[in-house]
Amino acid sequence: MKNLLAILCVLLWSAISGAELTIAENGKSDYEIVLPDGNNELSPFYAEAGRMISDSIRSANGTILPVIQESRRSPGKKAIFIGPVKALKDCMPSGYWEYRIKNQNGNIYLYGTDHLWNKKREKKHDAFVLGSCKAAAVFAEHFIGAAVLLPGDKVSVLPRKKITVPADFQIQKKPYFQYNFSVSRSGGLWYDLYNSRLPHSWYASYGGHSHNFAILRDKYAKTHPEYFAMSHGKRLHPRLYSTQYCLSNPEVQKLILQNVIERLDQGFESAQLAQSDGFHWCECETCAKLFGESDSSEKLWILHRDIAVKVAKLRPGKKVCILAYGPTVYPPKTFDTFPENVIIELAPATEKQIAQWKRVKVPGGFSAYIYNWGWYQSSGFTPKMSFRQLQKQLQLFRKNNIRGIYTCGFGELPGLEGPAYFIWNKLQEDEQKQITDLLDFYCKRTFGMAADSAVQFYTLLDRQLQKTEDEVEDFTNPAMLRPEHQSKLICRRYPPEVMEQLEDYLKKMEINAGNLLSVRILRLEFDYLKTTVNALMAYRNFLDSRTDENFAELLDTLEKREHMIGELPHNQHSLGYLEGIRLFGGAKFTELLAGGRLYGKVSSPFCWDWRWMRQNQVKPAGRRIIPNNHPQMLFQQGLHPLSKEITSKPTIISCTADDRNFQIVFSMPEESEKQLMNNGFHVYFFRKNGGWRVSAGLSIKGPWSYLSRLEKTSAENNEKGNVFKQIHAPAYTVRTTSGKQGFTAKLTIPWKTVGGTPAPCEKIGFNAVRINKNTGIAYVWEQTQKQENYSNRLDEYGTLNMDR
Ligand SMILES: [Zn+2]
């Protein structure tokens, strides 16, 4: 069947008679470009398509074709008609993004479905279906050799002496994928249309979640707190990831339905219906009993199905698009047929998820909400998908009748990921196309004289991505939540020999075509990749060795990385443009520094304050302290972004020891005694004969203290952290002083309570922690670097060296 289709396409595309129409040659043309008469919301787009074709022909061979309206045609001239001109009035197609190219009596007709759907965004191209413009782009691509390779509307054209069209040529196409788009990630009208980034203008998508838009938090929080989900006995609990609702409340259900109806009444054909992100079910009694179901996923399915049934009655013919995501990623269990007006948007649309949906009847069919790109992933601002992964994904969608694609994130790396975007988009138009041909074409057209090195560059990059293909982003995979995940992934992908080879190819590209914008963009993104990889390599080296040398090297790489990022065009808060190209998707400056957001954020080491650490010699791991020696500043417990409190209100420790006692002083020069209520100080000793924790602090009742003994090490506890048990409460002396120099807490710990007087030169595993319960911030001397997860934070220790 596929072969037959291919043959049919070839037949359509080739001139059967061999005769051809000459559009432009030697600066001369019998043609003019003709637009429909009248003036409506579509007119500017017809004019833009006319200008694009005229400019492309002029760039190709200098011929100028005038662009005029139909009523002003020149006698005797042939026409390239764009849009619904008089001759076509009754035969305009109506399918989404359907377009046609037709020759008749020497005239060429470029037309398709044209419609304004989103009246609120009337001037933006993504408010429309612009089939005639798509036809113009396809025409220019095939007969003028035009292409749009970088985001924006710059159409690139190669010289072509003679522009001809086979006389019998015609095309009639309904794109298989009805849309391929994402809100706020448009590359501009011509980038989108040349590359099949077709907007879903008829579908009112919020890009994921509708409940939050149906019931605005700001509008109802004060007047109707009962609309919001109960969590830990509180409505609108601040710890909830996003606003959640009391979904059993009839008013809430009504508002959610009303929002769908409003969207449909704005002219859309379908509207999104989806629960809030980070879903949390309301803990009230009515919600617990809702629909007689205990399973919260099932409650959501029933609620959304019932809303769809109501929509079918209120707005017959219109559609509801329900997101299968989070708690509703898998189909309902209590019913297996959805109402006629329902489309299911699979998020993500993986093989595993699609398989689950096979048993369910969804009359409106399926669309996909995919996570191929976006800096919220573990790869952050570095390349993500290999070419063959992209190809396999589209094959999966075709096999399973998935007809629309919403890309959550796209276009943030036009340099490093440019070919991936191009290949992905072009394979949507024609699955028969070969990846290598597409890559060759892209490199020739984007990098000109540097094409050969570009192909080598991207082929090597792709090979590295292939090596980690099985680590696809699955947000249910606990491995992704491990703090080390991103640094390990990126270091595995980009070993030094690969980075050197890539640098080599890029240098060759710069020699051959260094002035091209495409090469300069690639250089910026590659330098970001390089400094990021270097810093993460240095970080991993430091974790393994924990030496002062490797720590100094790590701080140097962080400095270089920050300097490189600081040099990028940016405004106060976000990344800017390089000659019209938005860099790093216009991300926030802090996001680029952090390596990404959500899964892409590399809190350690990218969210450290390397200046402060260098200046104060705060080495977070592999620390050593000698009694009666220099004081040392504490760092932050846990691998979270470094809190300002740690650096602006530092805690410093110093210690002394004799044969009977160990004394430690915590100094807090920026704080007063009053601020130090509810503070706890913990001192850890790990020795051959056992482990101990001495805890002491201050409360309104006065000083307190107790002793705990190590029961299980983290290794004995399945890497879930050390287990201490309180054994007795000896009265450790806690003496505090307060004055202009701030506040100090001094603990005297008799050696006999923590394993006995140490031998001369004994090396004791040691740590010191201050927990400020007022702010929730914990200071630590030796930070646990190789955390298994975010809950075991106190497994590691530095060395207390008893050299005396
Ligand atoms: Zn409730």
Side-chain angles (χ1 to χ4, degrees):
M1 184 64 191
K2 266 184 190 166
N3 284 339
L4 185 66
L5 273 178
I7 291 163
L8 277 177
C9 288
V10 172
L11 280 179
L12 278 174
W13 281 97
S14 57
I16 299 161
S17 68
E20 53 184 27
L21 311 174
T22 300
I23 308 288
E25 188 180 12
N26 297 328
K28 284 189 189 129
S29 174
D30 293 337
Y31 283 83
E32 57 190 8
I33 298 167
V34 180
L35 313 178
D37 284 329
N39 191 9
N40 58 31
E41 67 272 5
L42 285 154
S43 305
F45 293 98
Y46 298 137
E48 175 57 26
R51 185 202 59 78
M52 185 274 290
I53 290 190
S54 176
D55 286 357
S56 300
I57 292 174
R58 195 182 53 198
S59 307
N61 68 16
T63 313
I64 295 171
L65 268 67
V67 183
I68 51 152
Q69 286 206 318
E70 199 172 8
S71 53
R72 317 187 76 164
R73 282 193 64 185
S74 326
K77 280 251 180 191
K78 287 183 193 157
I80 298 174
F81 290 107
I82 298 173
V85 290
K86 286 197 187 87
L88 294 171
K89 271 283 186 284
D90 299 323
C91 54
M92 294 296 285
S94 60
Y96 301 126
W97 289 104
E98 193 173 343
Y99 62 90
R100 293 176 190 171
I101 300 174
K102 186 168 84 170
N103 293 349
Q104 211 168 1
N105 304 327
N107 292 318
I108 295 166
Y109 295 86
L110 311 176
Y111 62 108
T113 311
D114 296 326
H115 189 74
L116 168 63
W117 286 98
N118 187 351
K119 297 200 169 61
K120 279 191 172 168
R121 286 172 71 81
E122 193 183 332
K123 289 201 169 82
K124 304 256 183 190
H125 74 275
D126 60 10
F128 295 80
V129 162
L130 297 167
S132 299
C133 290
K134 175 66 187 165
V138 171
F139 176 81
E141 191 177 12
H142 286 274
F143 301 113
I144 313 172
V148 182
L149 286 321
L150 287 175
D153 289 331
K154 196 171 175 299
V155 179
S156 115
V157 183
L158 297 181
R160 182 175 289 208
K161 276 189 181 160
K162 188 175 172 185
I163 295 168
T164 61
V165 177
D168 296 351
F169 173 80
Q170 61 166 316
I171 185 170
Q172 191 165 332
K173 189 147 182 177
K174 255 186 199 175
Y176 177 84
F177 292 104
Q178 295 170 343
Y179 64 86
N180 162 34
F181 206 66
S182 50
V183 172
S184 82
R185 291 272 159 248
S186 159
L189 170 69
W190 294 120
Y191 177 85
D192 289 347
L193 295 194
Y194 268 81
N195 296 294
S196 285
R197 292 283 297 163
L198 305 177
H200 48 68
S201 339
W202 61 91
Y203 166 36
S205 165
Y206 288 108
H209 310 282
S210 77
H211 289 189
N212 315 48
F213 292 91
I215 304 150
L216 295 174
R217 187 191 178 110
D218 290 351
K219 190 169 170 187
Y220 295 109
K222 283 216 175 96
T223 50
H224 290 284
E226 75 279 10
Y227 287 180
F228 299 90
M230 180 84 88
S231 171
H232 296 91
K234 203 176 167 187
R235 303 274 178 190
L236 284 156
H237 199 283
R239 283 218 199 125
L240 294 176
Y241 175 72
S242 62
T243 310
Q244 309 290 332
Y245 300 91
C246 180
L247 295 175
S248 64
N249 184 321
E251 292 291 316
V252 167
Q253 297 179 1
K254 219 163 106 185
L255 287 168
I256 294 171
L257 167 68
Q258 206 174 305
N259 173 259
V260 174
I261 297 294
E262 273 168 22
R263 299 283 270 169
L264 295 175
D265 289 351
Q266 283 163 11
F268 293 103
E269 193 168 79
S270 58
Q272 192 166 52
L273 175 58
Q275 66 271 14
S276 304
D277 206 1
F279 184 76
H280 182 93
W281 195 265
C282 172
E283 290 164 3
C284 85
E285 261 179 49
T286 335
C287 281
K289 288 185 211 148
L290 185 66
F291 305 131
E293 269 298 325
S294 56
D295 183 337
S296 59
S297 305
E298 214 52 35
K299 290 182 208 215
L300 272 171
W301 277 125
I302 297 170
L303 174 74
H304 286 163
R305 177 201 59 191
D306 292 354
I307 288 175
V309 170
K310 285 177 186 145
V311 173
K313 284 198 189 114
L314 294 165
R315 297 294 180 271
K318 299 252 179 175
K319 294 210 163 15
V320 180
C321 193
I322 306 177
L323 199 70
Y325 167 81
T328 54
V329 72
Y330 293 125
K333 298 180 199 92
T334 51
F335 62 96
D336 58 11
T337 304
F338 277 87
E340 286 297 318
N341 61 343
V342 169
I343 298 167
I344 297 287
E345 187 169 7
L346 302 169
T350 57
E351 201 156 5
K352 189 171 139 201
Q353 197 199 3
I354 291 168
Q356 296 274 340
W357 279 88
K358 291 246 155 96
R359 62 174 178 80
V360 185
K361 195 174 168 225
V362 182
F366 295 93
S367 61
Y369 185 107
I370 56 161
Y371 303 95
N372 291 3
W373 297 286
W375 54 91
Y376 54 87
Q377 313 221 28
S378 305
S379 308
F381 293 96
T382 70
K384 293 161 196 79
M385 302 273 284
S386 73
F387 301 149
R388 68 178 185 197
Q389 256 178 314
L390 294 170
Q391 186 178 40
K392 275 187 199 157
Q393 188 183 42
L394 291 175
Q395 285 164 350
L396 176 75
F397 291 174
R398 284 183 195 266
K399 206 170 99 190
N400 290 285
N401 202 25
I402 288 172
R403 304 299 294 268
I405 304 172
Y406 184 88
T407 51
C408 179
F410 177 83
E412 61 269 19
L413 298 175
L416 289 167
E417 290 187 326
Y421 305 152
F422 183 73
I423 289 167
W424 156 261
N425 292 326
K426 288 295 166 192
L427 285 175
Q428 287 187 37
E429 282 174 11
D430 179 0
E431 60 176 330
Q432 302 294 325
K433 285 200 166 124
Q434 296 297 310
I435 287 173
T436 46
D437 295 345
L438 290 168
L439 179 63
D440 278 347
F441 178 86
Y442 182 86
C443 290
K444 275 195 187 103
R445 293 301 294 268
T446 312
F447 299 105
M449 301 283 286
D452 291 349
S453 305
V455 170
Q456 287 174 309
F457 180 96
Y458 288 113
T459 305
L460 175 57
L461 184 63
D462 189 54
R463 201 178 305 149
Q464 295 309 113
L465 291 170
Q466 284 180 18
K467 285 182 185 165
T468 47
E469 263 171 7
D470 49 340
E471 297 179 34
V472 279
E473 303 281 288
D474 175 354
F475 300 119
T476 58
N477 177 6
M480 274 187 66
L481 287 170
R482 289 167 67 148
E484 290 192 286
H485 180 69
Q486 307 107 327
S487 64
K488 280 185 171 169
L489 176 72
I490 289 175
C491 290
R492 205 158 44 240
R493 267 185 194 154
Y494 306 105
E497 63 279 11
V498 168
M499 290 308 286
E500 274 166 36
Q501 185 67 68
L502 289 171
E503 174 68 61
D504 214 42
Y505 291 141
L506 181 51
K507 278 194 179 132
K508 280 186 191 146
M509 291 168 75
E510 287 171 325
I511 290 167
N512 289 314
N515 59 330
L516 290 180
L517 177 60
S518 53
V519 177
R520 286 181 285 136
I521 297 269
L522 181 60
R523 169 51 77 188
L524 287 186
E525 291 177 9
F526 184 72
D527 281 352
Y528 171 82
L529 176 71
K530 205 163 70 175
T531 54
T532 297
V533 171
N534 286 348
L536 291 177
M537 287 281 179
Y539 178 55
R540 302 226 57 87
N541 286 342
F542 168 64
L543 291 193
D544 291 340
S545 76
R546 308 196 173 200
T547 61
D548 294 349
E549 295 73 30
N550 282 350
F551 181 57
E553 200 184 310
L554 169 58
L555 295 188
D556 287 347
T557 60
L558 292 176
E559 181 178 7
K560 280 185 189 137
R561 181 174 181 272
E562 191 180 306
H563 179 77
M564 187 266 144
I565 294 172
E567 297 279 292
L568 292 169
H570 65 277
N571 57 36
Q572 202 185 348
H573 298 296
S574 52
L575 272 298
Y577 290 78
L578 185 71
E579 290 171 37
I581 305 286
R582 186 163 58 173
L583 297 174
F584 297 95
K588 283 183 196 151
F589 196 64
T590 48
E591 289 175 333
L592 194 64
L593 274 175
R597 60 183 197 93
L598 294 175
Y599 297 98
K601 187 169 185 170
V602 186
S603 300
S604 181
F606 292 160
C607 302
W608 288 357
D609 182 340
W610 58 264
R611 278 187 193 82
W612 174 80
M613 290 166 85
R614 184 188 277 158
Q615 198 177 357
N616 296 289
Q617 295 178 4
V618 180
K619 183 183 159 200
R623 292 180 96 163
R624 285 187 312 272
I625 194 164
I626 300 169
N628 308 314
N629 222 304
H630 304 294
Q632 295 192 16
M633 218 174 253
L634 297 190
F635 196 53
Q636 178 174 270
Q637 188 186 68
L639 299 178
H640 303 291
L642 190 63
S643 156
K644 280 239 157 42
E645 192 176 323
I646 298 284
T647 55
S648 65
K649 292 181 179 171
T651 303
I652 300 155
I653 58 162
S654 54
C655 59
T656 55
D658 58 27
D659 286 348
R660 288 179 58 204
N661 294 317
F662 176 80
Q663 284 192 327
I664 179 165
V665 178
F666 291 81
S667 320
M668 286 126 304
E670 305 299 329
E671 293 165 84
S672 70
E673 187 167 16
K674 205 176 151 200
Q675 288 165 302
L676 282 167
M677 280 300 151
N678 298 319
N679 269 256
F681 301 94
H682 307 270
V683 187
Y684 293 77
F685 300 91
F686 298 89
R687 305 176 70 177
K688 282 198 184 103
N689 54 348
W692 292 268
R693 179 178 66 198
V694 172
S695 305
L698 287 174
S699 72
I700 329 163
K701 291 177 195 160
W704 54 269
S705 67
Y706 60 86
L707 177 67
S708 310
R709 189 173 179 126
L710 179 69
E711 281 235 309
K712 268 188 199 172
T713 64
S714 191
E716 291 160 352
N717 186 30
N718 291 325
E719 304 296 340
K720 286 191 174 117
N722 294 323
V723 179
F724 284 89
K725 194 182 175 194
Q726 195 173 329
I727 44 174
H728 61 109
Y732 291 103
T733 324
V734 186
R735 291 184 59 190
T736 58
T737 57
S738 179
K740 271 188 188 161
Q741 295 304 308
F743 182 81
T744 62
K746 182 171 169 186
L747 264 83
T748 304
I749 301 165
W751 283 118
K752 64 180 181 192
T753 63
V754 291
T757 304
C761 301
E762 185 177 335
K763 290 182 171 55
I764 298 174
F766 175 78
N767 212 351
V769 177
R770 170 197 169 199
I771 295 171
N772 184 351
K773 282 194 178 161
N774 300 317
T775 59
I777 291 290
Y779 296 73
V780 68
W781 182 64
E782 173 90 10
Q783 191 190 43
T784 297
Q785 290 297 311
K786 295 203 167 177
Q787 281 186 199
E788 276 297 303
N789 53 54
Y790 283 96
S791 63
N792 67 329
R793 304 190 301 188
L794 273 171
D795 299 358
E796 291 175 25
Y797 43 83
T799 309
L800 169 64
N801 201 332
M802 297 307 294
D803 285 345
R804 276 176 290 167

